[in-house]
């Protein structure tokens, strides 16, 4: 699973990735597809703190209506322009319309973060219903494709050297085929996301891409998981031996991912493009592995034979 690809791992932001005010190039435009709370909201907060000129976000209208994002962004950086629009990420015409509105408002974007996600009912073998399986594929796979497809022209207009960046919020769950935390539809769809990011890097080599695991975070979407996992009281209900090992099963701060992504894209690190990355990894140790990662083509999906 790559949990310890770096010997040091983190659960909260730390000095190397702490977001500093106005640390982004200026002007800098961000687009987040799927953000209203939890990880998505914190990604927006990190970019606003770092000095993004504008942040465009889409989400379902019902989520926009109760989202803390507008007020929090004003508090963090009242000069950051927020464009917050409703969109169904599974409908091509709606994603195209959102991209068109972003083009009209901003002209270009420097980074696209795809955070929209669907977990579905808790299950570990076959999907609970065909509807849940197809919804996971539509939101997690088709939605990423549509966002990249319609936003690519705007990314190519980025004044940043070489073009913009596409970040897909992935999951360590894609590596699991069973046991606590495994979900068939979700895991398969996240594996597809990772492969799409690899293919996008190959077909659009001037665009930086990465599939980023945000950490193991307590989110609203994750509440469908069993209580013993979500609350971290015990890892396995049939064994007390592991209780102390997982006193906190979901220990990661929701701001960790946003801080990691700002670090990742504010300096062009093309040697990491097209790869799976974890927000938990120590970035200094990750940087020290550059030659190893490039030479051995690590952090990509492949068949072992």
């Amino acid at each position: 699973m790559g949990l310890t690809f770096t010997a040091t791992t983190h659960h909260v932001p730390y000095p190397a990735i702490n977001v500093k005010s106005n640390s982004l190039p200026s002007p800098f435009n961000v687009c987040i597809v799927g953000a209203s709370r939890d990880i998505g909201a914190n990604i927006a907060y990190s970019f606003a703190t770092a000095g993004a000129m504008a942040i465009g976000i889409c989400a379902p209208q019902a989520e926009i209506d109760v989202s803390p994002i507008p007020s929090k962004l004003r508090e963090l950086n009242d000069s950051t322009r927020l464009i917050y629009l409703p969109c169904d990420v599974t409908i091509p015409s709606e994603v195209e319309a959102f991209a068109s509105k972003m083009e009209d408002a901003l002209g270009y974007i420097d980074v696209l973060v795809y955070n929209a996600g669907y977990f579905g009912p808790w299950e570990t073998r076959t999907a609970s219903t065909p509807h849940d399986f197809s919804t996971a594929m539509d939101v997690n796979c088709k939605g990423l494709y549509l966002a990249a497809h319609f936003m690519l022209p705007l990314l190519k207009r980025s004044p940043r050297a070489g073009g913009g960046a596409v970040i897909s919020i992935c999951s360590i769950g894609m590596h699991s085929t069973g046991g606590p935390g495994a979900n068939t539809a979700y895991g398969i769809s996240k594996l597809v996301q990772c492969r799409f990011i690899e293919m996008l890097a190959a077909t659009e080599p001037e665009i930086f891409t990465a599939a980023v695991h945000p950490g193991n975070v307590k989110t609203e979407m994750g509440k469908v998981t069993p209580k013993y996992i979500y609350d971290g009281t015990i890892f396995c209900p049939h064994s007390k031996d592991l209780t102390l090992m997982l006193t906190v099963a979901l220990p990661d701060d929701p701001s960790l991912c946003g801080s990691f992504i700002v670090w990742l894209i504010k300096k062009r690190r093309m040697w990491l493009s097209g790869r799976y990355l974890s927000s938990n990894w120590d970035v200094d140790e990750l940087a020290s592995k550059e030659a190893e990662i490039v030479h051995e083509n690590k952090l990509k999906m492949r068949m072992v034979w």
Side-chain angles (χ1 to χ4, degrees):
M1 288 188 174
L3 287 169
T4 55
F5 182 71
T6 61
T8 305
T9 58
H10 301 273
H11 301 298
V12 298
Y14 50 100
I17 65 169
N18 279 341
V19 180
K20 298 178 176 59
S21 297
N22 301 314
S23 56
L24 288 171
S26 183
F28 196 92
N29 295 330
V30 178
C31 176
I32 307 174
V33 175
S36 59
R37 59 185 183 241
D38 301 328
I39 295 168
N42 277 274
I43 292 170
Y45 302 158
S46 292
F47 275 110
T49 300
M53 181 180 75
I55 301 176
I57 303 174
C58 70
Q61 184 64 61
E63 294 185 11
I64 293 175
D65 291 342
V66 296
S67 175
I69 291 176
S71 60
K72 186 65 175 180
L73 287 194
R74 287 192 296 270
E75 175 187 328
L76 292 170
N77 187 346
D78 60 7
S79 66
T80 295
R81 179 185 178 188
L82 174 63
I83 303 164
Y84 208 177
L85 300 170
C87 178
D88 185 331
V89 299
T90 70
I91 299 176
S93 60
E94 292 201 18
V95 181
E96 183 177 21
F98 174 62
S100 178
K101 290 173 182 176
M102 290 290 290
E103 181 179 21
D104 292 342
L106 304 177
Y108 68 89
I109 57 175
D110 295 293
V111 60
L112 166 66
V113 180
Y114 190 81
N115 181 66
Y118 179 83
F119 191 82
W122 176 258
E123 48 81 20
T124 57
R125 293 182 182 271
T126 55
S128 299
T129 68
H131 169 76
D132 293 317
F133 191 90
S134 61
T135 301
M137 295 301 157
D138 284 347
V139 175
N140 299 341
C141 305
K142 179 182 177 182
L144 172 59
Y145 160 75
L146 291 174
H149 175 78
F150 289 115
M151 294 294 180
L152 198 56
L154 281 67
L155 287 162
K156 290 184 175 181
R157 293 180 202 157
S158 168
R160 308 280 80 79
V166 177
I167 307 297
S168 177
I169 303 304
C170 198
S171 173
I172 199 170
M174 72 177 190
H175 300 297
S176 179
T177 56
N183 178 299
T184 305
Y186 185 75
I188 292 171
S189 63
K190 289 297 178 177
L191 184 63
V192 172
Q193 280 190 349
C194 195
R195 192 60 159 177
F196 179 84
I197 285 296
E198 289 184 24
M199 295 186 74
L200 186 60
T203 56
E204 301 289 346
E206 74 279 11
I207 301 295
F208 177 86
T209 74
V212 175
H213 169 56
N216 295 321
V217 181
K218 278 190 175 184
T219 64
E220 190 69 22
M221 186 175 72
K223 284 185 175 180
V224 298
T225 58
K227 185 177 176 61
Y228 70 87
I229 292 178
Y230 189 80
D231 290 339
T233 54
I234 186 171
F235 182 77
C236 177
H238 305 297
S239 173
K240 295 182 180 180
D241 295 335
L242 298 178
T243 303
L244 294 177
M245 294 174 61
L246 284 176
T247 302
V248 180
L250 302 173
D252 298 324
D253 192 277
S255 66
L256 177 66
C257 181
S259 298
F260 179 84
I261 291 174
V262 170
W263 170 86
L264 183 63
I265 58 89
K266 69 181 179 182
K267 179 180 177 182
R268 201 159 175 82
R269 297 177 171 87
M270 293 305 293
W271 57 277
L272 285 174
S273 187
R275 305 181 193 275
Y276 168 86
L277 305 171
S278 172
S279 299
N280 299 112
W281 294 344
D282 183 86
V283 297
D284 292 329
E285 291 182 24
L286 181 64
S288 73
K289 292 175 174 281
E290 177 178 354
E292 171 190 341
I293 291 169
V294 173
H295 178 69
E296 300 181 36
N297 204 21
K298 290 189 172 182
L299 308 179
K300 292 186 177 182
M301 300 300 107
R302 69 191 68 184
M303 181 176 74
V304 178
W305 58 282

